[in-house]
């Protein structure tokens, strides 16, 4: 009897696919995927990858054809299918927003009453309008939603926004955010106990990778009389490691620190006497 494999649905093309496969590689999972394959096994982990249309993934998760999917949370919400979000992944961040032509008077969502709104996300928009008690006409279109106001099809749009540059180029201004989204792992309600155990092993690896991404290993040389002062300044993991140097009166202080936090205190560390400061990337971090 063959060993069960965790069936992982991913987008079959695009940036989300690249980021998903990269994450799995960082988890040490090697995938035997050839050109135009729709299914590919992992060589060294009990899993197989299903390459699917992004909009179809929620249905496959709900039906149990896929045990988990790596998908944008906005798609999961829009399709209104059953699927448990078990991990946020921190990439492919965007937001579903309302936008109107620049110069349009807009005091708030209530200004959309009686207006026409073009969108590729009718379910998400409908839920938002209902929650805000707004009566507006939804025009469901695919493709370039942002052109709708310019051709007289709609008064406003509801679309995904990353940087806002596409809105700007089309003379639109972002007004309200309906929901914020990022890539997530969603699990099927039909996943069995054996595959759930494999999923738990995968999540352990993923969380170790994600924990390391914004963390750096920090090493510095510190005069012994300044060690306690330096340690109090470090917002790192538990207790730093302090090792004596060959030169009398000096120690090497090692810790893990968030990269953003480091830049906030670098000048303070130097003023407190730290020298020879090194910042080393972390590949994985088990916490």
């Amino acid at each position: 009897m063959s060993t069960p494999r965790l069936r992982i649905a991913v987008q079959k093309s695009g940036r989300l696919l690249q980021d998903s496969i990269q994450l799995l590689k960082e988890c040490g999972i090697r995938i035997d995927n050839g050109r135009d394959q729709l299914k590919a096994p992992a060589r060294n982990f009990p899993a197989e990858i299903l390459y699917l249309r992004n909009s179809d993934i929620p249905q496959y998760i709900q039906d149990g054809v896929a045990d988990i999917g790596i998908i944008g949370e906005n798609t999961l919400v829009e399709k209104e299918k059953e699927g448990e979000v078990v991990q946020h992944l921190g990439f492919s961040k965007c937001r579903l927003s309302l936008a109107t032509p620049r110069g349009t008077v807009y005091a708030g969502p209530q200004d959309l009453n009686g207006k026409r709104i073009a969108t590729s996300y009718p379910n998400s928009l409908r839920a938002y309008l209902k929650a805000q008690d707004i009566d507006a006409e939804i025009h469901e279109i695919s493709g370039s939603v942002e052109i709708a106001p310019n051709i007289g099809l709609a008064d406003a749009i509801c679309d995904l926004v990353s940087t806002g540059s596409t809105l700007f180029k089309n003379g639109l201004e972002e007004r309200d955010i309906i929901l914020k989204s990022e890539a997530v792992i969603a699990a099927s309600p039909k996943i069995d106990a054996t595959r759930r155990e494999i999923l738990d092993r995968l999540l352990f690896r993923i969380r170790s990778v994600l924990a390391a991404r914004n963390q750096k290993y920090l090493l510095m040389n510190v005069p012994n009389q300044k060690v306690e002062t330096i340690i109090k300044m470090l917002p790192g993991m538990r207790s730093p490691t302090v090792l004596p140097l060959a030169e009398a009166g000096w120690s090497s202080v090692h810790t893990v620190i968030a990269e953003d936090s480091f830049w906030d205190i670098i000048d303070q560390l130097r003023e407190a006497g730290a020298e020879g400061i090194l910042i080393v990337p972390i590949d994985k971090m088990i916490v």
Side-chain angles (χ1 to χ4, degrees):
M1 186 182 224
S2 60
T3 303
R5 288 179 174 269
L6 184 71
R7 297 162 297 186
I8 306 173
V10 300
Q11 182 177 305
K12 67 179 181 179
S13 62
R15 179 61 185 272
L16 183 55
L17 169 63
Q18 297 171 17
D19 289 341
S20 301
I21 297 301
Q22 178 61 33
L23 176 62
L24 294 174
K25 286 181 178 178
E26 290 180 43
C27 291
I29 298 173
R30 297 184 180 88
I31 302 162
D32 291 323
N33 57 322
R35 185 177 180 84
D36 298 326
Q37 277 186 281
L38 297 180
K39 183 170 74 170
R43 254 182 285 164
N44 58 345
F45 191 82
E48 61 183 2
I49 309 302
L50 309 179
Y51 298 94
L52 304 172
R53 285 176 47 187
N54 190 58
S55 59
D56 291 340
I57 292 177
Q59 184 70 59
Y60 279 85
I61 293 172
Q62 176 175 282
D63 293 345
V65 176
D67 300 306
I68 65 170
I70 302 179
I71 189 172
E73 194 169 11
N74 59 289
T75 302
L76 194 63
V77 171
E78 174 61 26
K79 294 301 179 179
E80 299 180 329
K81 304 298 181 183
E82 292 182 45
E84 176 194 1
V85 174
V86 294
Q87 181 66 48
H88 286 78
L89 298 174
F91 56 80
S92 294
K93 290 187 176 182
C94 61
R95 54 197 181 273
L96 186 63
S97 295
L98 291 164
T100 64
R102 280 200 299 273
T104 302
V105 175
Y106 187 88
Q110 294 302 320
D111 285 349
L112 295 173
N113 265 306
K115 299 296 176 65
R116 300 164 298 164
I117 308 174
T119 187
S120 298
Y121 296 88
N123 293 330
S124 300
L125 176 57
R126 191 174 294 110
Y128 174 82
L129 295 177
K130 182 178 180 180
Q132 298 288 328
D133 195 25
I134 296 170
D135 182 17
E137 183 180 344
I138 297 175
H139 283 260
E140 183 178 353
I141 60 176
S142 59
S144 301
V145 175
E146 62 276 357
I147 200 173
N150 292 329
I151 61 175
L153 180 63
D155 304 296
I157 70 166
C158 172
D159 201 16
L160 288 182
V161 179
S162 294
T163 64
S165 60
T166 302
L167 293 181
F168 181 80
K169 289 176 184 177
N170 286 275
L172 300 172
E173 185 173 351
E174 187 175 7
R175 299 298 190 175
D176 285 296
I177 297 173
I178 290 180
L179 65 87
K180 293 183 178 180
S181 175
E182 63 183 86
V184 299
I185 293 180
S188 171
K190 297 184 179 180
I191 187 171
D192 60 36
T194 300
R195 289 186 172 91
R196 171 64 75 167
E197 187 274 333
I198 299 172
L199 172 57
D200 289 341
R201 289 163 55 193
L202 176 61
L203 289 175
F204 175 79
R205 295 190 186 193
I206 287 174
R207 287 163 184 162
S208 297
V209 170
L210 297 179
R213 284 191 170 174
N214 191 44
Q215 303 292 325
K216 303 297 179 187
Y217 193 72
L218 177 65
L219 306 86
M220 67 191 99
N221 297 333
V222 179
N224 286 344
Q225 67 271 23
K226 297 288 187 177
V227 168
E228 289 301 321
T229 300
I230 291 289
I231 288 176
K232 290 177 181 178
M233 297 168 58
L234 298 174
M237 296 176 68
R238 295 187 182 176
S239 177
T241 299
V242 180
L243 302 172
L245 293 178
E247 183 178 348
W250 285 80
S251 294
S252 179
V253 178
H254 300 210
T255 191
V256 173
I257 189 171
E259 185 174 19
D260 295 340
S261 298
F262 170 76
W263 292 115
D264 289 338
I265 66 170
I266 179 63
D267 291 332
Q268 299 174 47
L269 292 173
R270 294 173 62 198
E271 289 174 5
E275 297 180 7
I277 301 172
L278 297 178
I279 310 168
V280 182
I282 300 173
D283 187 40
K284 310 287 187 299
M285 191 167 77
I286 313 300
V287 295

